[in-house]
Amino acid sequence: VLVAGTIMLFIRDWRTTLIATVAIPTSIVPTFLFMQYMGFTMNNITMLALILAIGIVIDDAVVVHENIFRYMEEEGMDAMAAARKGTNEIALAVLATSLSLVVIFVPVAFMGGMVGRFFSSFGLTVAFAILMSLFVSFTLTPMLCSRFLKLEPSHGGDASSKSGLIYRLVDWAYGLALRWALRHRLITLAVCGLVVLSTFPILSNLAVNLVPRDDQSEFQVSILTPEGYTLERTNTVLTEIEHRLEKLPGVLHSFTVIGENSGGGKGQGDVTRGTIHLRIKELAERRYSQFDVMKLARGILLEYPELRTAVSDVSAIGGGSGQDSRTFQMSLQGPDLEQLAEYSETLVDRLRNIPGLVDVDTTLSLRKPEVQVSIDRNRASDLGIPVQTVSSSLNTLVGGQIVSRYKEGSEQYDVWLRADQAFRDNPQTLDQLMLPSPNSGLVQLTSLATITESRGPSQIDRLNRQRTVTLKAHPEEISLGEAVQKANTIVAEMNLPPEYEVTFGGQAKMLGETVYYFGVALGLSILFMYLILAAQFESWLHPVSILAALPVTIPFGLLSLMMFRTPMDLYAMFGLFMLIGIVKKNGILQIDKTNELRRDGMERDAAIIEANHTRLRPILMTTVMLIAAMVPIAIGQGPGAGARASMAKVIIGGQLFSFLLALLITPVSYSLFDSLGVFLGTITRRRPQSAAI
């Protein structure tokens, strides 16, 4: 509706509005068939692609339609002649804009890493929708214009649709700025250079996350009880906490799991681990956020200092395994477990002092009660008892072993062999266990081993064959990028030995991979755009003039995130891609018309000014239509709205703030490169004359 309203606002003709708006369903509906052929489902990623495509697919049709309408309105042509001439004139520019936009999204479809797997459907869906819009703009749009587009008799031969006060003011102001920029080309370039250099300080002060936090009306509480807790005792504690959490504002349902296998595989789970899932009222039914309820839950858990707890979002893109997948994860690796424990405790203490970092914990717990059996190998050798016999005997007598199975009716039971409970529950009774000796018959365990009680780790994790300890936390009031930066500073200050190293995992690791793959995709997109534009314009310099607006646009997109107080995230990166594509489309329209006027014999600067005035309306229309399509995404409510908003904010802010400068730098660059070509040509012509003299 907003896109159609934009057309009506600029053209002020209801037939034009209907004809141009038809391009949306005729481009989107075939995209559904493409999605079905590729096996894509309707999900949050593909729906985001379709919403974004609505603001793009109409661009080509609008540009073709506006050019046809301009010939009918300004030169009094009939609809059939205007459709032929207008489409032929603008065909090169439309083809170049669409193909160069496709090559922006195709590299996204082939990005590596987990993010690439998520967003491959996004890139291909948008790319196909753009190709369909190109087909529609060359077939359906000119056909409808030739048959149904009519103007009032009084409108023939004038430009009544451009006679509005607002448009005339915009056109006059832009013409004034363009003439000034062409007279002061170096100053314009210097201003653009300063804008480009501002990218680095803006980036250094911009918060960075992998995915934005979104109010999904649900969260989970992960709890780890002390070692030695039985299932009954853990159940008692979690039941008490669950009843208290159910009294929090808006909580509708709760679901508790105890003993879930944290590794995600089969087998017996740890009864000291538990998770409470909580569902709260939908966002439209409450005036407080899910994050406010999560803070209240953390306040309740502080009253249980013996428990290790975490309150987590239910994220679509997780960073860890099992129940407790905290956003921030870093692994400390090294050879010695005790030294790892010491370093990890230091890191945990210092991470807890970082404001905004909550639920800081470590996977290492040296508090599991254990009995260590130290074997005197010489005495065991004298008695003829191998160490393996001691190990297997203790494993059978204490841990137990399945020796057979018993079936009764339809039920089958395992038969376990182990020592009586009185001889395996108390460490003091282990010394009475008897071992078979070929030399001395049955021998007590204390005759060849000493038994000591101690505490050790419940499990020993390894990463790349190195013992590792994982530190986990939630960045609550700071971004993930800031948390990683501060953690790196702490590690550098600790000056760890070379055999100990720190690596980041979870979403922090995925964030690094995402930035790398996005950089590769962006580089490939710009390269492909340049090659396509060079082929279309048969020039190596015109594409540089068109792409000159790209580095000017990026800092404004980043600045809009700072103004909206929105971190840079995965969706905002896609917004930057979209922003680059739109700005480049404007440059193509400017350069194409300028070349056409110069081929007709017009002087360069006059051609630049005339071309930019002619193409100002379609550029304004496509820009305003894209912004209009992004407004519902930026201000949307409900689950998933937070994830999509960052993309829309980048596009809206980047387009608004960089619009004038981007429209000036392209003609100025074109003028400078043309002057440079004339200068080099003059030098080339003079060189043989100097040689002859």
Side-chain angles (χ1 to χ4, degrees), residues 241 244-245 248 295-304:
I241 295 175
R244 297 187 63 182
L245 292 175
L248 291 175
K295 288 181 180 179
L296 297 175
R298 287 194 179 94
I300 292 175
L301 296 173
L302 288 176
E303 301 177 19
Y304 299 86

Side-chain angles (χ1 to χ4, degrees), residues 59 82 164 169 250 363 478 530 644:
D59 283 4
L169 284 175
T363 57
I478 61 174
Y530 177 80
R644 297 185 290 267

